Amino acid sequence: MTDYKKYARPAARILLQVLAALFLTSVAWVLVYRWVSPPATWLMLDRRAHAPVGKGYYGIREEGRRISYDFKGLDEVSAHVPLALIAAEDQLFLQHHGFDFNALQHAVKVNWNGKKLVGGSTISQQVAKNVFLWHGRSYVRKAAEAYFTVLIELLWSKRRIMEMYLNVAEMGDCIFGVEAAAERYFHKPADRLSPAEAALLAGVLPNPLRFRASNPGPAARAKQQRVMRNMRRLGGTRYIQAILED
């Protein structure tokens, strides 16, 4: 028993020190990204690292593919974009504090019944996952996602959360963020996107590698129309004036 106590206290002290260091590091990381745009995300690095060898844009054989990513401030993006993202992904974004428990409960019920998988993640949760974490399905990652969701809701404004989301969300094969997507699909900057174009980009977000904004099929068009109906129902861009003026 004496030997146990002899080693247990130093071990507990080391564990507490490690946990404190991890906590302070995570808080510092979130605070830095409150003002600084991420140079890349884990998913961007993964897409780049696991891309097959093939011909580049000019027919030159190259390793991997180029990541398209150009971070823009919210005032450099059409107001229809954040509205479309809220209409498509998280209509309670301005009201909740990171989690939509009714959506989570519905997702658990549907998935448990063996129907097609649906997600219940809010925009805040998706930002936590996309910016700070690796992709995958595990209880450890979900716990980390919840932790970072709480941190960004505490330390960032809703404007910053939305700004981060529309810049790091994957919108096509190696295409990240609305600016890169607007240039690739519509040959224009993101500040000139129309409501229909913003709705199309938001509609393909759940599976941007399957539903392509460059060549939308009937399913993508149906999603686009549903997003546009939600945008109108929310009241248009007046609905998001609070985060635009924050």
Side-chain angles (χ1 to χ4, degrees):
M1 182 65 68
T2 303
D3 290 340
Y4 170 76
K5 291 182 178 179
K6 178 180 178 181
Y7 293 107
R9 288 182 179 178
R13 189 180 304 112
I14 292 173
L15 177 60
L16 288 175
Q17 290 173 345
V18 170
L19 291 176
L22 290 174
F23 171 72
L24 293 175
T25 300
S26 63
V27 171
W29 193 6
V30 172
L31 282 174
V32 167
Y33 280 174
R34 180 176 177 177
W35 295 284
V36 178
S37 60
T41 66
W42 294 114
L43 182 57
M44 293 179 194
L45 298 176
D46 181 73
R47 288 282 188 261
R48 178 67 178 174
H50 294 93
V53 177
K55 291 186 176 181
Y57 292 114
Y58 301 102
I60 302 173
R61 193 169 181 78
E62 60 181 13
E63 291 287 342
R65 293 165 293 180
R66 180 177 302 171
I67 297 296
S68 296
Y69 168 59
D70 187 3
F71 198 100
K72 294 292 183 180
L74 197 60
D75 56 352
E76 299 176 282
V77 173
S78 167
H80 301 300
V81 174
L83 175 64
L85 294 175
I86 290 174
E89 298 284 294
D90 183 5
Q91 295 180 35
L92 295 179
F93 174 69
L94 299 181
Q95 284 78 48
H96 65 62
H97 298 288
F99 304 94
D100 184 344
F101 294 103
N102 289 331
L104 287 172
Q105 185 178 20
H106 172 71
V108 170
K109 183 178 180 180
V110 171
N111 296 338
W112 183 263
N113 290 333
K115 299 179 181 179
K116 67 178 182 178
L117 293 177
V118 299
S121 296
T122 63
I123 285 176
S124 300
Q125 288 175 272
Q126 293 181 59
V127 168
K129 175 185 68 176
N130 291 338
V131 175
F132 299 101
L133 301 172
W134 66 98
H135 275 241
R137 294 181 179 275
S138 70
Y139 290 115
V140 172
R141 196 199 63 78
K142 290 300 292 184
E145 177 186 305
Y147 170 73
F148 275 103
T149 299
V150 172
L151 279 187
I152 65 175
E153 282 282 343
L154 286 173
L155 300 176
W156 294 358
S157 65
K158 286 289 187 179
R159 176 189 174 96
R160 183 56 174 173
I161 294 173
M162 173 57 69
E163 189 171 72
M164 193 69 75
Y165 183 57
L166 61 82
N167 275 288
V168 302
E170 186 177 25
M171 296 186 172
D173 188 20
C174 290
I175 301 171
F176 291 86
V178 66
E179 180 68 19
E183 293 287 355
R184 178 67 62 88
Y185 301 136
F186 306 118
H187 310 292
K188 62 172 69 173
D191 63 354
R192 291 173 50 200
L193 288 174
S194 68
E197 291 164 341
L200 181 59
L201 291 179
V204 303
L205 271 181
N207 196 336
L209 302 184
R210 177 186 174 191
F211 301 107
R212 298 180 180 275
S214 58
N215 186 25
R221 288 298 185 189
K223 288 174 176 288
Q224 178 191 34
Q225 292 302 314
R226 184 173 69 250
V227 173
M228 292 184 69
R229 286 195 298 271
N230 289 340
M231 291 166 69
R232 291 191 293 269
R233 183 175 57 80
L234 290 173
T237 55
R238 290 176 298 175
Y239 182 76
I240 58 169
Q241 283 304 308
I243 61 172
L244 294 179
E245 298 172 357
D246 191 359

